[in-house]
Amino acid sequence: MIGLDWGSKFIKACRVSSKTDGKYIVYASMISADGKDGEKEENPLLLKNKVKTLFRQLRVKNGEAALSVGGIDLLARDFLLPRMASENIEGAVMIEAENSIFETLDDMYCDYEVLADIGEKMDVLFVASQKDHINHVLDSFSQAELEIVSITVDNIAIANCYIAFEERKALSESVVLVNIGHEVSNIAIIDRGRLRFIRNVAFGGLDVTRELASVYEVDLETAEKIKRQPELWDNIGLNVRNVLKKSSSNLLEAIFRSMEHSVSRQKIGKVDKILLTGGGAILKGIDSFIFETLGISTEKWNPLASPDILGAVDKEKGFFIPVALGLAVQKGEQEQ
């Protein structure tokens, strides 16, 4: 199974082989999506060539792939429903969704997952995404001669990745995973090895770049270079905390509200730590900034740093591929 994450800046792909001793061999690849101001490359021939390049780097000619969807338009709600027979859950979830969501569900693909049983209640995650968006993604990759066998939400993919590669920690802690992408960040809260809450927020590395461009009155390309060269910051008098204060209010509020909601709904007792991943997590100082602002232990998480991964995989790609890696290790779908 190939995990494929079509982001606004990069297309990332992963292939995982599991061994009998619980170790994994991971192949990871990424290529520019040729995006411009958040617009992905739409040329079917170019996309087909990019997919071929990714597969060649993964040492496969073709194969089945799992995709993910996300974005700020993804609908995610959690419902607390009475416990009931499995054949009745879908109908009850759809009734609850129709009563609480002020959008036309006929235009969306919907799915749900029972997260946990709480006494006589069930904690149910409901997700929905526009049919036009998903159909467009499927059509784009079908023209690239790629067979898509499953679609998963970005947040669930990163949760799968964390639980697979940090199993011992996942079973003993409550963590907030924050995958900081180019334009959107995915939040997933995991408690003792189980996903309990998801949310997307309009914040990404591009917001930091735009703030730097405003501060120094330069174009986005120059601002991006400044962001990626912390060794120059002292020379130009850059205080990255001031930049983050102005650009990351959406992210900070979303993390805080997500924790507050999960505790108030008794999904978790308390948060042990916040883990930052995604390309935006590479920014020097962002972990200490979030810790100082929210008062919760905050670390950067590179899934390819796991001791359970064997082989000469390029670990520097780790921050960029948690979604693709999570898709590739979906239960029961790893290569043997």
Side-chain angles (χ1 to χ4, degrees):
M1 175 66 68
I2 306 299
L4 202 56
D5 174 18
W6 191 14
S8 59
K9 193 169 186 179
F10 295 103
I11 305 173
K12 289 83 70 175
C14 286
R15 177 166 69 91
V16 177
S17 297
S18 59
K19 301 173 70 67
T20 55
D21 59 359
K23 303 293 184 180
Y24 297 90
I25 297 175
V26 173
Y27 299 88
S29 182
M30 57 189 288
I31 192 170
S32 170
D34 282 343
K36 195 170 186 180
D37 294 330
E39 296 181 1
K40 300 175 186 177
E41 178 54 67
E42 301 294 345
N43 186 308
L45 179 60
L46 287 179
L47 181 60
K48 179 178 178 180
N49 290 334
K50 289 177 185 297
V51 169
K52 285 186 175 181
T53 298
L54 288 169
F55 273 45
R56 184 168 60 250
Q57 293 172 350
L58 295 179
R59 304 179 188 179
V60 293
K61 292 184 179 180
N62 51 49
E64 299 177 336
L67 275 177
S68 68
V69 294
I72 199 62
D73 295 329
L74 180 76
L75 283 178
R77 300 288 189 275
D78 56 321
F79 303 137
L80 202 58
L81 301 177
R83 292 184 67 175
M84 63 188 72
S86 58
E87 62 268 22
N88 297 328
I89 297 176
E90 181 176 357
V93 169
M94 293 308 298
I95 291 173
E96 188 73 17
E98 289 170 356
N99 289 336
S100 61
I101 294 173
F102 302 103
E103 296 193 42
T104 304
L105 295 181
D106 291 342
D107 297 333
M108 298 182 175
Y109 288 118
C110 306
D111 201 359
Y112 72 92
E113 180 177 341
V114 177
L115 300 180
D117 291 328
I118 306 174
E120 294 301 313
K121 301 284 188 178
M122 299 186 307
D123 185 16
V124 180
L125 171 66
F126 171 83
V127 294
S129 185
Q130 290 290 336
K131 289 181 179 179
D132 288 347
H133 170 64
I134 292 181
N135 290 339
H136 170 69
V137 172
L138 290 174
D139 182 62
S140 297
F141 280 107
S142 68
Q143 294 184 58
E145 299 178 1
L146 187 64
E147 182 181 2
I148 306 301
V149 297
S150 68
I151 299 181
T152 304
V153 176
D154 289 346
N155 316 63
I156 294 177
I158 63 171
N160 289 341
C161 182
Y162 178 72
I163 293 168
F165 292 105
E166 305 287 353
E167 184 177 8
R168 286 181 290 275
K169 292 181 180 179
L171 292 173
S172 63
E173 297 178 331
S174 292
V175 301
V176 180
L177 294 178
V178 183
N179 178 49
I180 305 174
H182 185 54
E183 292 182 300
V184 176
S185 294
N186 315 120
I187 296 174
I189 295 182
I190 298 174
D191 178 61
R192 306 301 187 267
R194 300 193 68 171
L195 178 65
R196 302 310 307 271
F197 181 80
I198 69 171
R199 181 175 183 175
N200 288 343
V201 56
F203 171 82
L206 182 59
D207 292 278
V208 179
T209 303
R210 286 172 173 160
E211 181 60 27
L212 283 169
S214 174
V215 170
Y216 288 99
E217 298 181 345
V218 295
D219 58 32
L220 288 177
E221 183 178 354
T222 302
E224 183 71 17
K225 291 179 180 178
I226 293 173
K227 184 177 74 175
R228 294 183 177 276
Q229 299 183 68
E231 65 274 10
L232 301 178
W233 292 356
D234 287 341
N235 294 336
I236 61 175
L238 171 61
N239 185 329
V240 74
R241 283 175 170 77
N242 290 338
V243 173
L244 287 170
K245 283 180 183 178
K246 294 181 179 179
S247 62
S248 66
S249 58
N250 281 356
L251 179 66
L252 294 170
E253 182 176 3
I255 294 173
F256 178 78
R257 297 299 181 194
S258 298
M259 294 189 297
E260 184 180 55
H261 174 84
S262 297
V263 172
S264 67
R265 291 285 295 267
Q266 298 182 331
K267 292 172 172 287
I268 61 174
K270 66 179 184 65
V271 172
D272 293 304
K273 66 177 63 172
I274 298 169
L275 295 177
L276 308 179
T277 191
I282 295 175
L283 180 67
K284 183 179 178 181
I286 191 170
D287 49 343
S288 58
F289 169 75
I290 291 177
F291 166 67
E292 291 169 3
T293 304
L294 297 180
I296 304 291
S297 176
T298 303
E299 302 172 5
K300 297 184 179 185
W301 174 55
N302 179 350
L304 291 185
S306 168
D308 290 336
I309 294 178
L310 304 175
V313 66
D314 183 358
K315 295 188 183 298
E316 291 185 1
K317 292 187 176 77
F319 284 101
F320 294 90
I321 64 161
V323 171
L325 189 53
L327 293 169
V329 295
Q330 293 179 87
K331 187 175 182 181
E333 294 177 346
Q334 299 99 319
E335 298 177 19
Q336 301 297 323

